[in-house]
Every structure is written in structure tokens, then in C-alpha cells.
Amino acid sequence: MSALAGPGLQPPRPRAAPATRRLALLGTGAVGSAFVARYRLLQQRGLALPPVAWLANSRAVLKAGRDLEAALAVANAAPPRAAELQGWAEAEALRPGDVLVDATASELVANWHPEWLARGVNVVTANKLGHGGLLARSQAICEAQARTGASYGDSATVGAGLPLLRSLRGLVAGGDHIHAVEGVLSGSLAWLFNRYDGSRPFSALVAEAASAGYTEPDPRVDLSGEDVRRKLLILARAAGLALEVRQVQVESLVPPALAQLPADAVAAALPQLDAALAARLQQARAQGGVLRFVGRFDADGAQASLQVLPAAHPLAAGAGTDNRVAIRSDRYREQPLLIQGPGAGADITAAALLDDVLRIAA
């Protein structure tokens, strides 16, 4: 008997060695591929990262092993198949402490976020539908986190890792009251309207932005304002406003005929955008202003629309894919807190995902 064990006492049981934290990657498109490339780069720099145990897309589930690039290539070359998400979710029997990286834009995957968190699995996501979709799902994510202590890393969902969500949540945690948040929240729409001067059709710029990875796989998600709607919901909920999806009023730039087309027919039909946007550009110039797609929420609700802003307006500044966001609160009542930086692109989104992974691993 141990010297520490007295009458009626059992010696302490030896503690099991903690299981190695593993990482699973869902989504092997532009962001997923950029994630693998940056993961390798950070490994070469000596950063301690959880091993990638498996990766999956809608066509395949693969054990990653040491050759991530080979597994990525196999996954992307896999033939299409009708697959249920359950096969992904259970593929490696995720354990508490593991990290699930969602690099998809799938609502089916987002529906599993609360379930993974309830198991104690940490979720890191670029998928905006967790907190940027149904309010009930967003609340379920928060409730699961509170029960298990699992982390939910979503800095890539708004501003591609800019210190926007972190700043907003920090203000709320410090007792500040958020009055309004307003800004250019879509990196793809920022890029389009920073470059649109009438010298090229708007549709040509959309095709270029999609090719560069600035838009969602279906650019209508950006052009419809749906991407901005999701970001406004994420920010508003982080600020303590339990907004429903229908409470965000959004102007769509997509003509009805284009909106009804199947995804594989969109690229050829993009010129349907050109006449209306040319007229909006002419109107902005007649007023001495510039076009910017602006989202805003306050206590009265949320809205997003294409607006004509004076060229000197704070939200008209920036370049490229820059997001530019103004936060007004008790602390920043007279002069808003401004946060600006690149807000789109697979590489910076992947970097934001890995920042969250590193925070969890630490």
C-alpha cells in the first residue's frame, strides 16, 4: 500500500496519458487546399500543430497520414457520389479535444457544429452558417460550448481573420454596450466596386474575382448580399442581438432570371448584371460619389444595400478586398472604432483558420 494511503483509503489511480489531439479537415477546395499549404509552412517553421488524422469532401473520406498533399489530391480527384454527412462525422470517431476544421460552405456541415461541440470536439470554421444562419443553430452552438467547454473558432467567418469578432466580443465582455456596427463587410464586393470604373463590364470583373477565389463558389451568394447577411448576423449575435435571418433586409444585385439558373449555368449568364450596374455607376458619378455595398445593424434591425457614398467617406476608403468596419459603442460613441484590412481570399482565410487551431492547441 502506498505511504499516502491510510485505513479505508485506496492509493490514487495512475492517470492515463492524455490522448493526442487530432485534426480533421472537411472541405478540400480553394480554402482547404490553402489550409494544407499553410499547415506545411507552419510545420516547417517549428510550430506545434495537431496531426491531421483525416480529411474529407463530399466525395471521399481519407486517412491523411504524413503525405497530406497526396491525400488532398486523391480527395479532389474522387468521383462524385451521393454521400451522407454521417459518414464524415463518424469516420474517425472524433474524440473530445480533437479539432474539426470546417472549410466548406455547407449547411449540412454547419448542422453538425453543435453536435461536435457537445461531444467535446473543438470546431474551427470558415463556414458562416454556424452563427450566420438559423438562430436556433447559433444558440445550440453556444449552449454546447457552455456544457463541454469545447472551443468554437470562427474568426475566419467575418473579415477573414481581422480582429473584428475578437474586438466586438472583447468590448461586450468588458461591459461595453454596442450601439451600431456599419461597414463594407464583403471582401469580394469591396474588390468589385473598388475596381468597377466602367472600362470593363461588371460581369468580367465578377468572373475575375471568382477565378481569384474572392467570391463564394457560386458568386451569386456574394452578389445577392447573402454573404453580407450572414456576416451581419454573426456580428449582431456576437454583440448580443438575437436577430433572426428574416430581420436582415438585403438588396440583391442578382436579376431574377440569373437567380433561377442552376449553378453550372451562372458563368455564361453573368452579362445579365451589366446594364443595371452600369446605370448605378452613372448615377453615383452624377452625384460625385462612389458605389459601396454597406451593411449595418443597430437596435432597430439590420440592412445591407448598394449605396452611393462621398469619395471622402470613411467607408469609401480602402483598396482591393479590404473590409472597413466602424463600431459605435458607449466607449466609442463620438468617434467609432475603425477596423480595416483584407477581407477575402483563400490564403488569408486559411491563415485565420490556422490561427484558431493554434490558439486551441496552445
Side-chain angles (χ1 to χ4, degrees):
M1 179 176 288
S2 164
L4 296 177
L9 297 178
Q10 295 298 318
R13 295 180 180 178
R15 293 183 180 180
T20 301
R21 191 192 303 275
R22 302 170 305 170
L23 189 151
L25 172 64
L26 297 187
T28 60
V31 173
S33 298
F35 181 91
V36 169
R38 184 162 181 83
Y39 180 95
R40 285 298 196 208
L41 177 64
L42 296 185
Q43 274 191 325
Q44 292 166 8
R45 292 177 178 173
L47 275 73
L49 288 161
V52 180
W54 58 285
L55 54 82
N57 57 25
S58 59
R59 302 179 301 280
V61 180
L62 299 170
K63 290 187 177 180
R66 293 189 176 183
D67 195 342
L68 283 179
E69 291 77 8
L72 184 68
V74 171
N76 284 332
R81 66 184 178 97
E84 295 294 330
L85 180 61
Q86 283 79 354
W88 301 6
E90 303 292 350
E92 288 290 328
L94 289 166
R95 299 187 299 246
D98 286 343
V99 183
L100 189 292
V101 178
D102 179 3
T104 78
S106 167
E107 185 146 21
L108 190 60
V109 176
N111 283 337
W112 272 82
H113 289 185
E115 169 65 21
W116 287 318
L117 292 165
R119 296 185 200 174
V121 175
N122 304 291
V123 176
V124 170
T125 182
N127 186 345
K128 303 173 186 67
L129 290 168
H131 279 315
L134 298 174
L135 178 59
R137 181 169 53 217
S138 176
Q139 292 171 333
I141 287 170
C142 294
E143 290 165 3
Q145 278 186 272
R147 286 198 308 271
T148 67
S151 295
Y152 192 73
D154 60 350
S155 62
T157 60
V158 182
L162 290 175
L164 181 52
L165 269 174
R166 186 164 68 250
S167 297
L168 192 60
R169 287 169 175 153
L171 291 173
V172 172
D176 203 356
H177 177 68
I178 307 300
H179 298 292
V181 174
E182 182 179 37
V184 174
L185 293 167
S186 167
S188 57
L189 293 179
W191 187 91
L192 288 167
F193 289 109
N194 281 333
R195 293 175 65 96
Y196 183 47
D197 60 5
S199 62
R200 297 173 62 193
F202 189 77
S203 59
L205 292 174
V206 173
E208 185 178 342
S211 178
Y214 296 149
T215 69
E216 296 290 335
D218 185 340
R220 291 176 299 183
V221 175
D222 303 88
L223 296 167
S224 68
E226 189 60 33
D227 178 68
V228 176
R229 184 200 305 271
R230 294 169 184 172
K231 291 174 178 176
L232 281 172
L233 286 168
I234 293 167
L235 292 170
R237 291 165 180 174
L241 294 177
L243 290 182
E244 297 277 4
V245 173
R246 66 178 182 276
Q247 292 178 280
V248 184
Q249 303 301 313
V250 175
E251 176 190 4
S252 175
L253 305 180
V254 181
L258 181 58
Q260 295 170 6
L261 292 177
D264 59 4
V266 170
L270 286 175
Q272 294 181 26
L273 297 164
D274 292 337
L277 269 299
R280 298 289 288 270
L281 179 62
Q282 186 176 5
Q283 177 189 20
R285 285 177 168 170
Q287 297 177 22
V290 296
L291 290 173
R292 296 292 185 266
F293 200 91
V294 177
R296 174 187 171 89
F297 75 81
D298 55 27
D300 296 324
Q303 54 279 324
S305 62
L306 186 61
Q307 299 181 17
V308 178
L309 300 180
H313 192 284
L315 297 183
T321 65
D322 277 6
N323 285 180
R324 190 169 175 86
V325 183
I327 300 173
R328 292 189 181 275
S329 67
D330 286 346
R331 189 182 305 183
Y332 299 102
R333 187 185 298 271
E334 300 301 324
Q335 185 175 354
L337 172 64
L338 289 174
I339 298 174
Q340 177 182 336
D347 289 340
I348 57 173
T349 302
L353 289 171
L354 275 157
D355 285 349
D356 280 339
V357 171
L358 286 166
R359 275 193 285 271
I360 292 169

